Amino acid sequence: MSEKSSSSSSDEDVDPESGQPLELGGVLSKWTNYIHGWQDRWVVLKNNTLSYYKSEDEREYGCRGSLCLSKAVITPHEFDECRFDVSVNDSVWYLRAEDPEHRLQWIESIELHKAESGYGSETSLRRHGSMLSLTSAASIWLSVTSLFSFFSKGHRLREKFAEMETFRDILCRQVDTLQKYFDSCADAVSKDEFQRDRVEDDDDDFPTSARPDSEYNHNNNGSKEKLFSPASPKGINGIDFKGEAITFKATTAGILSTLSHCIELMTKREDSWQKRLDKELEKRRKVEDAYKSAVNELKKKSHYGGPDYEEGPNSLINEEEFFDAVEAALDRQDKIEEQCQSEKVRKPRLTLASPSDAYSTIGTHRFANKVEETVQNHMAYSIQEVGGDANWQLVVEEGEMKVYRREVEENGIVLDPLKATHAVKGVTGHEVCHYFWDTAVRLDWETTIENFHVVEKLSDNAIIVYQTHKRVWPASQRDVLYLSAIRMIPPRNENDPDTWLVCNFSVDHDDAPPTNRCVRAKINVAMICQTLVSPPEGDKEISRDNIMCKINYIANVNPGGWAPASVLRAVAKREYPKFLKRFTSYVQEKTAGKPILF
């Protein structure tokens, strides 16, 4: 994918004056349709709207589509780390970023714009709650009541916290009142001591008898009471010290009680929270394990196209779209193969074929009887006439090559048997079968295989092979497990030409069971080759100009899974002739200038 999401701002950039998120723009891949697949588009996020243009240079021509994010649902893809979907009702945009970091940036930016639109996001709730005043008991209860409508869980604990706020305000006012009272008491004591000192000084200067009676109050019992009595505590600033003390005691008792209740509630909830935390941690661990497993499985699988296509008769792709997609994928593979062949310098391989008698034996392995039965069936099948009531249809004719097919379907699956005949000059049947069977050169001429390996060697001329074929999207990827055997067919009389055969037929093996990653196909294929020799002139030795290989290729393939019949038949008509021409040209190239192997 090309450079993606060179965005013009970050998802955390916010306009300091308006508090609104800034515009975000960049390149994202948008799923268009099953034919054109993912296409790069310039996507802009602004004013709670997601819009896209064909390119940044074409913004002036107007957007090609837009979504209002107020009720949008953003869904990161489960397996594709770069993809996310934006859906509003029935409208869905499938988008892919350059990498997971850019995907996270876009998702967070869209969520931020959605939150700023005021549609009940958690952020807006927190902001509304933060504006509530807690300066008085009345406002506290109103604020708490408002918050309860947003946060129903934890009601009692929040209520206790609100009570704590109320007690704190009351206690602060009481502390201020008591401080004023103590200050007043200190001032009164100071003044009283100063007045007492003055009276004592006057008594020293003037005897008591000389002091006027007006400075004393005469009681009924004849005693005198001093007129300057100390001021009462309640008289100072009108403070009821006893009442304040009682209120202070009640407030502190309320604080202690509320604290005790809060601690009790938190203690009760601690076990529940711990259990919930343990469950969430276990869930997260399982999800992470499943995610890693899915990612690893996805990396192993050849993955193209989208979104979320699954092969089957109920697929949303109709036959025309399916055929166009397959044809486009095959064309791409052909171009890649042409480039590889033009750039590739083939190194000569020393592939020496074994002597003829090494392949002539039937063998003693556990599949020997099955191999012999298959060989005999193919030999009888190869000489069967293609005309008359056999219902063989000639589908391709190019020079010496002819391809015939019979249309056979079973439970909706195309099982068309195929027979092809071809004649190649300059090579023998032994050489053609040798290169067809030898796994050491398989990847030199076979372009449809992604990888393969020999599961078991049964004998010198029989092996079991597992191979996976390149996926041709939108069809699922296929794999095959088959036994491959090479044989020389003994001539019935001296006039019969030398005949060689390679048969490949599906088997089961414990070391290569079917998997969910691929659809297991079944095959029964035979390459039957006869060598025709024309006598050389005079006493000259036989050269490659005097030999010709007559080929009969038989294929019975069950593709497994499902694909439209018209698509399978079109692909077979296209690919089988290409295979025969490519393979026989390879054999001619490899044998040119080498001794003839009869």
Side-chain angles (χ1 to χ4, degrees):
M1 196 185 305
S2 60
E3 180 69 15
K4 303 286 186 296
S5 191
S6 54
S7 52
S8 57
S9 66
S10 170
D11 57 345
E12 296 181 359
D13 291 341
V14 177
D15 191 336
E17 295 182 359
S18 63
Q20 296 294 324
L22 298 178
E23 176 181 347
L24 176 67
V27 178
L28 293 175
S29 288
K30 184 178 183 296
W31 176 257
T32 54
N33 52 52
Y34 288 102
I35 306 304
H36 299 96
W38 297 99
Q39 299 290 330
D40 290 348
R41 295 290 182 259
W42 181 261
V43 182
V44 175
L45 177 61
K46 184 179 181 181
N47 297 333
N48 190 34
T49 301
L50 189 67
S51 308
Y52 80 92
Y53 306 80
K54 186 174 181 180
S55 65
E56 184 178 9
D57 297 333
E58 296 188 11
R59 292 186 63 180
E60 59 185 20
Y61 299 120
C63 70
R64 294 196 164 197
S66 62
L67 289 176
C68 180
L69 300 176
S70 300
K71 297 182 180 180
V73 178
I74 298 90
T75 308
H77 197 266
E78 185 177 1
F79 302 114
D80 192 337
E81 296 180 345
C82 299
R83 176 180 152 191
F84 63 98
D85 304 340
V86 182
S87 59
V88 178
N89 298 328
D90 296 333
S91 179
V92 184
W93 286 10
Y94 305 99
L95 302 172
R96 294 189 85 249
E98 176 189 8
D99 49 46
E101 290 74 16
H102 280 98
R103 182 183 79 164
L104 179 61
Q105 178 187 5
W106 275 97
I107 291 176
E108 291 181 348
S109 298
I110 294 173
E111 291 287 2
L112 185 60
H113 276 258
K114 180 182 175 184
E116 290 300 330
S117 66
Y119 275 77
S121 67
E122 187 177 343
T123 306
S124 63
L125 295 183
R126 288 199 298 266
R127 290 184 178 178
H128 296 162
S130 65
M131 297 173 62
L132 297 170
S133 172
L134 298 176
T135 57
S136 65
S139 62
I140 287 172
W141 295 115
L142 289 175
S143 302
V144 173
T145 304
S146 300
L147 285 173
F148 290 161
S149 64
F150 296 132
F151 307 104
S152 59
K153 294 184 179 180
H155 177 282
R156 299 187 64 188
L157 190 58
R158 295 179 185 274
E159 181 181 353
K160 291 303 175 183
F161 285 153
E163 289 180 9
M164 293 290 294
E165 292 284 341
T166 305
F167 287 139
R168 185 196 65 179
D169 292 342
I170 296 173
L171 192 59
C172 288
R173 290 197 298 270
Q174 289 176 337
V175 169
D176 292 339
T177 302
L178 291 174
Q179 186 62 50
K180 292 178 182 178
Y181 173 78
F182 294 141
D183 292 341
S184 300
C185 287
D187 293 341
V189 170
S190 299
K191 291 179 180 180
D192 186 52
E193 290 178 351
F194 176 73
Q195 185 67 26
R196 189 182 300 112
D197 291 340
R198 285 190 59 190
V199 171
E200 290 176 354
D201 292 341
D202 292 341
D203 288 342
D204 292 339
D205 296 337
F206 303 98
T208 303
S209 58
R211 180 175 294 277
D213 290 342
S214 61
E215 295 183 8
Y216 293 91
N217 183 25
H218 295 273
N219 294 329
N220 293 331
N221 56 7
S223 63
K224 296 179 180 180
E225 183 180 0
K226 193 173 182 179
L227 291 177
F228 297 102
S229 59
S232 64
K234 189 175 180 180
I236 301 175
N237 296 330
I239 297 174
D240 183 1
F241 178 76
K242 186 175 182 180
E244 290 291 340
I246 294 173
T247 306
F248 184 83
K249 183 177 180 181
T251 304
T252 53
I255 291 175
L256 294 175
S257 175
T258 304
L259 281 174
S260 176
H261 196 174
C262 289
I263 293 172
E264 181 182 355
L265 288 174
M266 287 187 287
T267 302
K268 288 180 179 180
R269 291 189 178 186
E270 183 179 8
D271 294 339
S272 174
W273 289 340
Q274 187 62 44
K275 291 179 181 178
R276 291 174 61 184
L277 178 61
D278 293 340
K279 287 183 180 179
E280 291 298 325
L281 290 175
E282 181 64 19
K283 274 186 186 178
R284 179 173 180 175
R285 186 190 64 78
K286 291 181 179 179
V287 170
E288 287 178 347
D289 292 343
Y291 174 76
K292 290 178 181 178
S293 176
V295 169
N296 292 334
E297 194 69 20
L298 193 64
K299 288 179 179 178
K300 295 178 183 177
K301 184 175 181 179
S302 177
H303 183 73
Y304 303 98
D308 306 327
Y309 169 76
E310 184 175 353
E311 180 180 299
N314 298 321
S315 170
L316 297 178
I317 305 179
N318 57 42
E319 288 195 17
E320 183 178 356
E321 291 176 332
F322 199 108
F323 179 80
D324 290 343
V326 168
E327 190 174 40
L330 292 174
D331 288 339
R332 285 194 296 270
Q333 289 187 8
D334 289 344
K335 289 181 180 179
I336 293 173
E337 178 61 23
E338 290 175 4
Q339 292 175 357
C340 292
Q341 291 295 336
S342 61
E343 297 173 359
K344 178 179 175 183
V345 178
R346 288 178 175 167
K347 297 181 180 179
R349 297 175 184 260
L350 297 176
T351 54
L352 300 177
S354 301
S356 301
D357 57 358
Y359 291 153
S360 60
T361 58
I362 296 176
T364 57
H365 53 82
R366 64 182 182 279
F367 289 102
N369 293 334
K370 178 65 176 177
V371 170
E372 185 63 21
E373 178 185 352
T374 304
V375 168
Q376 297 304 324
N377 289 338
H378 280 302
M379 290 299 298
Y381 198 71
S382 65
I383 62 176
Q384 184 183 39
E385 295 293 334
V386 295
D389 297 332
N391 295 324
W392 287 99
Q393 302 174 11
L394 178 64
V395 293
V396 176
E397 182 175 7
E398 297 181 11
E400 296 290 338
M401 180 174 59
K402 295 181 181 180
V403 179
Y404 301 88
R405 180 184 67 209
R406 283 195 299 119
E407 294 189 357
V408 176
E409 289 189 32
E410 184 177 320
N411 298 325
I413 299 177
V414 175
L415 305 175
D416 293 353
L418 182 139
K419 181 188 292 188
T421 61
H422 194 27
V424 185
K425 293 182 179 181
V427 296
T428 66
H430 188 180
E431 291 171 334
V432 173
C433 288
H434 166 71
Y435 284 107
F436 185 72
W437 180 78
D438 189 4
T439 57
V441 297
R442 178 71 50 84
L443 295 179
D444 286 351
W445 57 268
E446 179 60 271
T447 61
T448 65
I449 294 178
E450 185 176 86
N451 56 65
F452 79 97
H453 67 273
V454 176
V455 177
E456 183 182 355
K457 181 178 179 181
L458 300 173
S459 65
D460 290 338
N461 60 351
I463 55 176
I464 295 178
V465 180
Y466 172 78
Q467 67 187 30
T468 58
H469 291 264
K470 296 176 182 177
R471 183 184 181 190
V472 181
W473 189 88
S476 299
Q477 190 173 21
R478 260 66 176 179
D479 65 356
V480 185
L481 178 68
Y482 63 93
L483 185 151
S484 181
I486 182 171
R487 286 279 310 280
M488 185 183 72
I489 308 299
R492 296 181 180 179
N493 56 66
E494 60 182 11
N495 295 324
D496 288 344
D498 292 340
T499 303
W500 284 80
L501 177 144
V502 175
C503 62
N504 299 335
F505 58 90
S506 294
V507 294
D508 295 325
H509 200 283
D510 293 339
D511 292 342
T515 66
N516 295 329
R517 190 170 65 90
C518 297
V519 175
R520 179 63 57 88
K522 302 291 184 180
I523 65 170
N524 190 357
V525 176
M527 175 78 75
I528 304 172
C529 302
Q530 292 179 328
T531 304
L532 305 178
V533 181
S534 59
E537 297 180 359
D539 297 333
K540 292 182 179 179
E541 294 183 357
I542 296 176
S543 67
R544 292 195 176 275
D545 294 333
N546 303 116
I547 59 176
M548 176 182 290
C549 180
K550 183 180 178 182
I551 300 174
N552 277 282
Y553 182 74
I554 301 167
N556 292 277
V557 178
N558 183 343
W562 178 91
S566 60
V567 175
L568 290 176
R569 285 167 178 151
V571 170
K573 182 179 178 180
R574 165 179 170 156
E575 293 301 310
Y576 278 114
K578 285 174 56 179
F579 149 70
L580 281 175
K581 288 190 292 185
R582 181 175 63 246
F583 171 66
T584 53
S585 297
Y586 170 79
V587 176
Q588 287 176 319
E589 176 188 342
K590 297 296 290 185
T591 56
K594 293 182 180 180
I596 301 175
L597 181 63
F598 287 101

